[in-house]
Amino acid sequence: MNGLKRIGLGGLMTGLLMWASAVGPAQAVVNPRGVAHDLAAGVVSLHELGTMQIGGSRVLCLDESGGVFGYVAAPDYLTTPEPVEHWQASYALWRWLGSDDDQVAASLYLLIGVDLGLNSNPAEATAAFAAAAQLPGLSGLPDVRAHMLQATRANAGPYQAGALSPVSDDDLGRSGLVTGVGVLSAAGLWQAGFAAQLSLSDADDPSGPAPAVFEATGSPVYDFTTGSGPDPVDDGFAWRAVADGRVRVTLTVTGLPRHILRYPAPAPHQQRLVARAALTDLSFQGDPEPVRSTYSPQIATTVAAALVGPGQPLADNFVVLGGRPGSTQTGQAELYGPFPEQPDATTAAGAPVATLPLQLTYDQTGQASGRTEPVELSPTAGPGYYTWVFRLAPDGLNQAAVSLFGEVAETTLLADPSLTSQISDQLAWPGQTISDSVLISGLVQALPDGRPLTASLSGRLVRTAAQSDPAGQPTCQGADWSAAQLVAEIPAQELPLAAAGPQIDLTGLGSYTVPAGAALGCYSYGETLTLSTAEGDLSLEIDHPTGRVNQTSLVLQPGGVIRAGDGSSPARRLLAVLPGVGLAALLVALWSNRRRSDRPAAGATSALDRP
């Protein structure tokens, strides 16, 4: 690089120096003495208002020499530059030192020397600038200088970052966005166009693997270009945790102007020069934040039906939230019971009556849902409360989870009310009135969630053809009820559950008079008990089918004077029917006229009441 020396020429040139002209880019300007000036861009006036090209580099002169100018190449006068921190001067040189615009170069000379206070003779430099602005075509110099000064003050350092923070999506530190990404000037303006890198590191072990990575890169490093606002990328610097720990966000911005190169004067009364220094890389760190790589699923279940009857399957609907999106987790669903009352967390669970395997796949929101396979309870399983428990096994992505035991939403009531019936007469004649009596026990009054139940009983009387026993006598044993004819319906009647308690005794149901001339046949009662909620959203039907011995009557055709219902004694009835029905009919007659008080007590089951 060539050196530069300024030589004083005294007052000889003072009058001539009012001659000046605007200089084009890289154009050598010849003064009246024929000395070649090294101005690369600027205005030759009382001073060289501009930048100079020295040995391939652009520089700017800082000092004045009392009004006399002149520059010659002097390699022996070149000094070693020293870097000096000056944020505003560095920004101005970084932005405009390379410009070939004469007005920009002249304004830069005054901005560095006078506005930023680096020139040793600011008054003389200011006067020269004012004189240059009067020259033809240079009237815009003051506006150019003002614009450059405003831009320097607005965009120069010291630089700072936004409020860097890995904000979590769910406050659990599993994933989120990094906010506050960008670089700000000392005046608080976002600086665009700088190469930058965002990185994630372990706050407690910076040399170890990072506990989080960026979704876009799959690594803890994200390269980008700063923008005119915070967070200049479309994905918001989305991240996810890959280990448990504390993460620290670091922003590194490259190529920021911070220093200038200042060349000391080679000798007394000679000028100092300034030039661009190497640009600076700055790093900014946010505060550590906890992250977790494993997700914490939360289980919510609701039984498929809160009320079921004997033989009906049990199932559970489940929703699991908070799993790792896209991952799979295994576990099991366990069914416990029966319990005489609604269980809770203090109830001894015992062994599950069923265990079902589970495999969940979480969607992109971290949710998995479904229904268990239906559980068919064994025929010996008793009525009562059955409750579900879900258990999820831990893996590398999702933590273990278990639902609470005895939750109302996870509990089903298996109701098995018992209906025992007795027909008024098991042997009857045309014209006789028959009816049914029912004893209902084992009633339940409310669902597991406390909602009350209502109960109603309806029924029907059907008829089918009688069969013949081995002796050729009529009998209802072995009768085919599958195609029985409906004779009468028993309208539904509401049962007083709250007042009656677990047992209700009903008599005289479905009173029916056998028509005169009715053919020989078997008549049987059947009832249906319905339990339902007041809202009507849930109901259970318990059917007491027709065809059972205790609720069936054989209607005969007497062959003589005495007919059923005429007040005759049992003995006379037997004598009347014996010629027609034989021994089988005799036994039936004896059974039908047994005392009403012989009906089984509440809760008992008579062998004769089974099909």
Side-chain angles (χ1 to χ4, degrees):
M1 176 182 292
N2 294 325
L4 178 69
K5 178 181 178 182
R6 184 167 184 167
I7 305 172
L9 299 180
L12 175 63
M13 305 301 298
T14 303
L16 297 175
L17 287 176
M18 297 308 295
W19 171 91
S21 63
V23 211
Q27 174 183 341
V29 177
V30 179
N31 70 10
R33 289 193 58 204
V35 178
H37 293 271
D38 297 294
L39 223 62
V43 179
V44 176
S45 182
L46 201 64
H47 300 279
E48 284 68 24
L49 302 175
T51 58
M52 293 170 286
Q53 192 78 18
I54 304 295
S57 298
R58 289 283 180 102
V59 295
L60 196 71
C61 184
L62 284 182
D63 301 313
E64 307 309 320
S65 60
V68 181
F69 70 95
Y71 297 94
V72 297
D76 54 324
Y77 289 129
L78 182 63
T79 59
T80 302
E82 57 182 352
V84 177
E85 182 179 84
H86 198 298
W87 294 97
Q88 290 188 344
S90 179
Y91 176 85
L93 292 173
W94 167 74
R95 184 164 178 181
W96 294 297
L97 184 62
S99 173
D100 288 331
D101 184 281
D102 294 330
Q103 296 193 78
V104 170
S107 298
L108 180 63
Y109 177 87
L110 200 70
L111 187 153
I112 295 293
V114 176
D115 296 320
L116 302 183
L118 297 183
N119 196 299
S120 61
N121 195 349
E124 188 173 313
T126 302
F129 186 83
Q134 303 302 314
L135 298 175
L138 298 180
S139 60
L141 274 176
D143 291 338
V144 174
R145 172 195 175 192
H147 169 77
M148 293 170 62
L149 180 60
Q150 180 185 24
T152 298
R153 289 172 174 170
N155 296 291
Y159 296 102
Q160 59 186 341
L164 294 172
S165 177
V167 178
S168 175
D169 289 337
D170 52 11
D171 296 328
L172 299 178
R174 300 178 303 192
S175 62
L177 306 175
V178 180
T179 60
V181 180
V183 63
L184 293 159
S185 67
L189 296 183
W190 295 98
Q191 299 300 297
F194 291 96
Q197 183 180 88
L198 200 63
S199 62
L200 306 173
S201 62
D202 189 330
D204 301 308
D205 182 13
S207 62
V213 298
F214 292 106
E215 292 285 8
T217 66
S219 74
V221 175
Y222 197 128
D223 294 316
F224 66 102
T225 300
T226 61
S228 57
D231 314 326
V233 295
D234 292 338
D235 67 0
F237 299 105
W239 59 269
R240 58 180 170 84
V242 294
D244 295 346
R246 295 195 309 155
V247 69
R248 186 189 298 277
V249 179
T250 300
L251 171 64
T252 300
V253 182
T254 62
L256 291 171
R258 180 177 185 178
H259 297 92
I260 61 174
L261 286 180
R262 187 164 59 188
Y263 292 83
H269 307 295
Q270 295 176 351
Q271 290 73 40
R272 295 171 300 161
L273 303 175
V274 290
R276 289 173 177 167
L279 296 173
T280 300
D281 297 344
L282 295 179
S283 292
F284 311 91
Q285 289 188 331
D287 294 330
E289 295 289 344
V291 295
R292 300 178 63 179
S293 63
T294 52
Y295 285 56
S296 303
Q298 304 295 316
I299 304 171
T301 69
T302 304
V303 290
L307 180 67
V308 298
Q312 293 182 335
L314 281 69
D316 201 23
N317 301 315
F318 61 86
V319 176
V320 184
L321 304 174
R324 171 66 182 275
S327 67
T328 299
Q329 189 171 16
T330 60
Q332 62 188 33
E334 301 167 350
L335 179 63
Y336 294 84
F339 302 100
E341 298 178 347
Q342 169 68 46
D344 58 27
T346 65
T347 305
V353 296
T355 300
L356 305 176
L358 294 174
Q359 181 167 316
L360 313 180
T361 299
Y362 296 106
D363 63 18
Q364 293 306 307
T365 67
Q367 175 177 318
S369 60
R371 173 180 287 193
T372 64
E373 294 293 327
V375 173
E376 302 281 354
L377 295 174
S378 70
T380 59
Y385 295 85
Y386 290 81
T387 192
W388 291 89
V389 173
F390 275 66
R391 303 182 192 276
L392 299 179
D395 53 34
L397 300 175
N398 299 291
Q399 297 179 3
V402 60
S403 63
L404 295 178
F405 178 85
E407 289 288 289
V408 169
E410 298 177 342
T411 302
T412 294
L413 174 59
L414 172 57
D416 188 14
S418 172
L419 278 72
T420 303
S421 62
Q422 178 63 59
I423 198 168
S424 58
D425 289 284
Q426 288 182 290
L427 185 64
W429 285 263
Q432 182 177 344
T433 299
I434 57 177
S435 63
D436 201 18
S437 297
V438 179
L439 180 66
I440 308 173
S441 57
L443 288 169
V444 292
Q445 298 184 357
L447 293 175
D449 61 9
R451 286 189 294 165
L453 292 171
T454 61
S456 64
L457 187 71
S458 60
R460 66 275 183 199
L461 177 65
V462 299
R463 177 190 178 280
T464 191
Q467 304 295 306
S468 296
D469 64 11
Q473 303 299 323
T475 180
C476 291
Q477 293 289 337
D480 180 11
W481 298 100
S482 63
Q485 175 187 359
L486 179 65
V487 175
E489 289 188 355
I490 304 174
Q493 60 176 303
E494 187 172 340
L495 305 180
L497 275 184
Q503 179 174 305
I504 296 178
D505 193 355
L506 302 172
T507 60
L509 288 177
S511 179
Y512 177 77
T513 300
V514 181
L520 175 71
C522 297
Y523 290 73
S524 185
Y525 284 98
E527 288 82 24
T528 299
L529 173 66
T530 301
L531 300 175
S532 61
T533 59
E535 299 82 3
D537 60 336
L538 188 64
S539 64
L540 172 67
E541 291 187 350
I542 306 295
D543 190 56
H544 192 55
T546 58
R548 302 190 183 200
V549 173
N550 276 17
Q551 58 203 55
T552 301
S553 178
L554 175 63
V555 174
L556 299 171
Q557 286 295 324
V561 178
I562 302 175
R563 289 184 295 273
D566 63 358
S568 58
S569 67
R572 293 183 62 195
R573 290 188 194 176
L574 292 177
L575 292 175
V577 300
L578 274 177
V581 299
L583 181 59
L586 172 62
L587 294 175
V588 172
L590 288 173
W591 174 256
S592 67
N593 288 279
R594 68 185 174 90
R595 294 172 54 191
R596 188 73 178 89
S597 60
D598 292 339
R599 192 180 63 176
T605 301
S606 168
L608 294 174
D609 201 31
R610 292 193 287 268

